[in-house]
Amino acid sequence: MAIMGNISRRGLLGSAVAVAAAAATGAAGGGTAFAAGRGDTAARAVAGAGARPRTTPLWREFAAAPLTHPQVPFIGRAGYRGGADLPRRTGHGFTANVLHYGAEPGGSADAAPAINRAIAAAGERGGGTVIIPAGTYRIDDIIRIGHSDVVVRGAGSGRTTLHATRNLTELIGVYGSRYGGDKSSWSWAGGLIWLCPEARWTSLTDAIKAKDWPFEGWTGNKRDAWRTLTTVAPARLGDRTITVDDTRGLKRGALVLLRLADDSAHTLLEHMAGGGPGPEAYYWDDKTKLTSYVPYEWPVRITAVHGRRVTLERPLPLDIRPEWDPRLTTLAAPLTGSGVEGLTLEAVETPQSQHLLDKGYNGVAFQCAYDCWADDITVRHVDNGFGLIGASACTLRRTKVAGRGSHHPYYCREGSHDNLIEDFTIEQRTVPAPAGTQLHGINVEGLSSHNVWSRGVMEMGTFDSHRGMPFANVRTDITVNNNGRHGGDASAGPLFGARFTHWNIRVTNGRAGLMRIDGLAPYSATVGVSEVTEFDQIDVPDFTGDLHTRLEAYGTPGAVRPQNLHDAQRALRY
């Protein structure tokens, strides 16, 4: 595949390795500082950080064929605009100061109506910036960003605070599970700051109020709100140009949905798991929650149309085969170019709810959003911190979960793809966990793919692969006190699909539990992970036989080069 511009592939690869080598000289993400004072276990966790960095054979192998490597996915274009820097302005001249719409700092009156009026005014003008000056603002309702190109900007997470007094159960209603039981779907959905296209948000909340529990992604509450634009010819994982039958409904810059259905033999699910005897022998038919996630839906922007050839913004995440009825289709009108910046959302402090009975003191949710972002955002005393629900190509940068402890500090579900969460922090809880509660960590599930967690400090939590066979996701350059537990119903199927990678992970308490994955995840890579030992949640592989996994630099986090897999891949710029 051709490289952008006139720079040679060899030159780009050299630059990538040089960047990675420079990063590898220290323990990024606060690893050494976090480990300090934690005794021998912490010392072992960062063992190798002062050793001479060495380029792993796996990186050299990957760089030779980055789009098709069998164990390591290409995630160099994850995030907003294919990994571009976040914009400093929206490109729209309209600016709305919430003080001019009636908001009052000081917390004496509900500022949510004024903030939402300012957001609506920006949206009605085609976009703009909504300014929330320094101060504390009481909000008794959801802050909704439902129009594209609208940015809500505080004065900084240490200066602008929204104090939320009510939860989503109070504001919208009880939200049960479409799979039955007495679970609250507010345990994994919705936010008190909620970025979602206006029409899609209305249809979702109307269904919840009617107790007609919806699907939450791009094709509507019943997954039937789409139409075919064209069928697609066979192609291979990593291709960026595809051949289609009809381009009349396609144009450069358009966002479309690649839809892949499964066949009766479940060969699409087998392909997501890497193929071969193990996935072929797996019994899929009773995994009813997993099979409800299919068809696989992948939103992507078109960058060029020439004849019947269509070039996509990102490489294909999977093969395209005729037996999967491949199509490009319409999708919900997306939210694009919108963000929230520079503020703290603090919920009223209440005890954490019993597991799966969250009331919905939730932080920031991105739903049916593409090319959106959060930057310099702290959420405190929340049930669930930052959510990606049917969201793709979003960047969460400099985000933090703090306060009394949460169920899912970060969650990524309902077919969310190509998102980037970088420079993130999960702080140690400020009060003991009540009995009967649960802590996960950085969650991914529901066929979500090619998401990246980079440069993180997790003072609590775990790497929560929550079944539903997420695949081709990366966690890199993270320090973690691994004291959480993963979840997932048996009907949701495997913990991992293929090409899952953990790269340079510093485990301060030496506890296993989804840190070292070479014995669990098919066609996966575990590189530069601290030595870990099992505890009471011991998992067994979902697939039998040879998992075709890779293990390198075990026990020497920080000494591996490149230190940050995402940074190194981004430098390749395929």
Side-chain angles (χ1 to χ4, degrees):
M1 180 168 293
I3 301 293
M4 297 172 60
N6 297 318
I7 304 174
S8 70
R9 174 172 173 169
R10 183 182 301 273
L12 278 169
L13 176 57
S15 297
V17 173
V19 168
T25 58
T32 301
F34 178 40
R38 293 188 179 270
D40 292 343
T41 300
R44 286 194 299 272
V46 296
R52 182 177 180 179
R54 57 187 182 278
T55 301
T56 71
L58 187 55
W59 169 255
R60 292 192 294 267
E61 180 185 296
F62 170 84
L67 303 182
T68 57
H69 193 275
Q71 281 93 11
V72 179
F74 179 74
I75 42 79
R77 294 184 66 82
Y80 170 83
R81 290 288 181 183
D85 292 337
L86 298 182
R88 299 321 311 157
R89 57 179 63 240
T90 64
H92 297 267
F94 182 77
T95 300
N97 188 314
V98 300
L99 302 182
H100 300 157
Y101 289 77
E104 296 181 5
S108 60
D110 178 17
I115 295 171
N116 284 325
R117 283 195 297 271
I119 292 170
E124 290 163 2
R125 289 164 174 79
T129 303
V130 174
I131 302 297
I132 308 180
T136 296
Y137 301 80
R138 194 184 95 207
I139 58 169
D140 300 340
D141 201 353
I142 300 162
I143 302 304
R144 295 197 291 120
I145 302 175
H147 293 86
S148 293
D149 298 313
V150 172
V151 178
V152 173
R153 181 173 295 152
S157 61
R159 301 183 64 205
T160 296
T161 297
L162 305 183
H163 181 67
T165 63
R166 304 175 73 193
N167 59 56
L168 295 171
T169 300
E170 295 172 301
L171 294 169
I172 295 174
V174 172
Y175 187 5
S177 169
R178 63 179 183 251
Y179 300 104
D182 60 356
K183 301 172 183 176
S184 167
S185 286
W186 296 129
S187 300
W188 53 75
L192 293 170
I193 298 176
W194 200 333
L195 293 90
C196 181
E198 187 173 38
R200 188 72 186 99
W201 190 87
T202 299
S203 70
L204 282 164
T205 53
D206 284 351
I208 293 166
K209 292 171 184 176
K211 295 183 168 29
D212 186 13
W213 315 130
F215 284 91
E216 300 158 273
W218 291 100
T219 50
N221 296 345
K222 304 294 184 183
R223 297 196 74 182
D224 58 359
W226 60 274
R227 61 180 177 82
T228 299
L229 296 171
T230 184
T231 55
V232 185
R236 299 298 301 273
L237 180 152
D239 289 348
R240 279 192 61 200
T241 299
I242 58 176
T243 301
V244 302
D245 275 354
D246 186 353
T247 59
R248 286 175 295 181
L250 308 178
K251 62 181 181 179
R252 180 182 177 186
L255 192 64
V256 296
L257 201 68
L258 173 65
R259 185 180 189 274
L260 299 177
D262 206 0
D263 58 13
S264 60
H266 299 297
T267 60
L268 176 61
L269 292 174
E270 290 175 4
H271 177 55
M272 292 175 181
E280 289 170 6
Y282 187 80
Y283 189 71
W284 303 95
D285 286 337
D286 63 347
K287 309 303 186 294
T288 52
K289 183 177 284 191
L290 173 63
T291 53
S292 78
Y293 298 151
V294 183
Y296 177 78
E297 296 174 337
W298 183 62
V300 65
R301 198 177 299 279
I302 294 172
T303 60
V305 179
H306 295 293
R308 293 173 52 213
R309 304 277 285 170
V310 176
T311 302
L312 307 175
E313 183 176 27
R314 290 177 172 83
L316 288 177
L318 295 164
D319 289 352
I320 293 178
R321 300 179 188 173
E323 55 265 37
W324 302 332
D325 189 23
R327 302 163 182 258
L328 296 183
T329 76
T330 59
L331 68 169
L335 186 75
T336 63
S338 292
V340 55
E341 304 176 348
L343 58 83
T344 290
L345 172 67
E346 180 174 296
V348 59
E349 186 170 358
T350 59
Q352 185 178 345
S353 295
Q354 297 291 289
H355 188 219
L356 299 175
L357 297 178
D358 295 349
K359 296 179 177 64
Y361 288 107
N362 294 349
V364 183
F366 292 79
Q367 188 157 11
C368 297
Y370 193 97
D371 283 338
C372 292
W373 69 91
D375 186 22
D376 184 26
I377 301 293
T378 295
V379 296
R380 185 173 287 117
H381 305 320
V382 293
D383 293 336
N384 301 281
F386 293 87
L388 297 159
I389 313 114
S392 292
C394 295
T395 293
L396 279 61
R397 177 174 171 263
R398 299 190 299 166
T399 56
K400 181 186 296 183
V401 181
R404 50 87 158 155
S406 56
H407 179 192
H408 295 99
Y410 292 82
Y411 61 94
C412 179
R413 54 179 292 272
E414 203 81 2
S416 291
H417 313 293
D418 304 301
N419 297 293
L420 172 62
I421 301 95
E422 62 180 353
D423 301 306
F424 67 95
T425 302
I426 302 173
E427 289 190 351
Q428 186 60 262
R429 64 190 313 135
T430 55
V431 297
T437 62
Q438 188 64 274
L439 165 65
H440 295 313
I442 52 175
N443 156 278
V444 62
E445 59 182 282
L447 303 185
S448 296
S449 66
H450 294 84
N451 301 289
V452 182
W453 289 261
S454 171
R455 292 193 302 274
V457 173
M458 298 173 60
E459 297 180 4
M460 65 177 192
T462 193
F463 290 180
D464 177 34
S465 293
H466 211 89
R467 299 199 177 273
M469 203 167 69
F471 66 94
N473 298 287
V474 168
R475 290 134 172 178
T476 183
D477 199 4
I478 298 170
T479 300
V480 53
N481 176 34
N482 185 30
N483 64 353
R485 303 172 72 90
H486 77 77
D489 293 345
S491 65
L495 280 166
F496 301 96
R499 302 191 318 284
F500 227 99
T501 299
H502 290 174
W503 189 290
N504 189 19
I505 306 299
R506 302 168 290 274
V507 186
T508 64
N509 61 348
R511 196 172 92 164
L514 304 192
M515 298 289 117
R516 177 178 171 175
I517 57 175
D518 57 295
L520 290 173
Y523 291 92
S524 66
T526 301
V527 180
V529 173
S530 301
E531 284 190 39
V532 290
T533 55
E534 295 292 349
F535 70 115
D536 61 316
Q537 188 177 38
I538 299 175
D539 292 294
V540 297
D542 292 290
F543 303 107
T544 57
D546 187 352
L547 294 178
H548 302 281
T549 61
R550 301 287 290 272
L551 176 67
E552 290 192 7
Y554 179 55
T556 58
V560 66
R561 187 173 71 183
Q563 183 168 353
N564 186 295
L565 182 61
H566 173 253
D567 288 348
Q569 287 201 24
R570 185 177 178 183
L572 293 176
R573 300 304 298 170
Y574 272 76

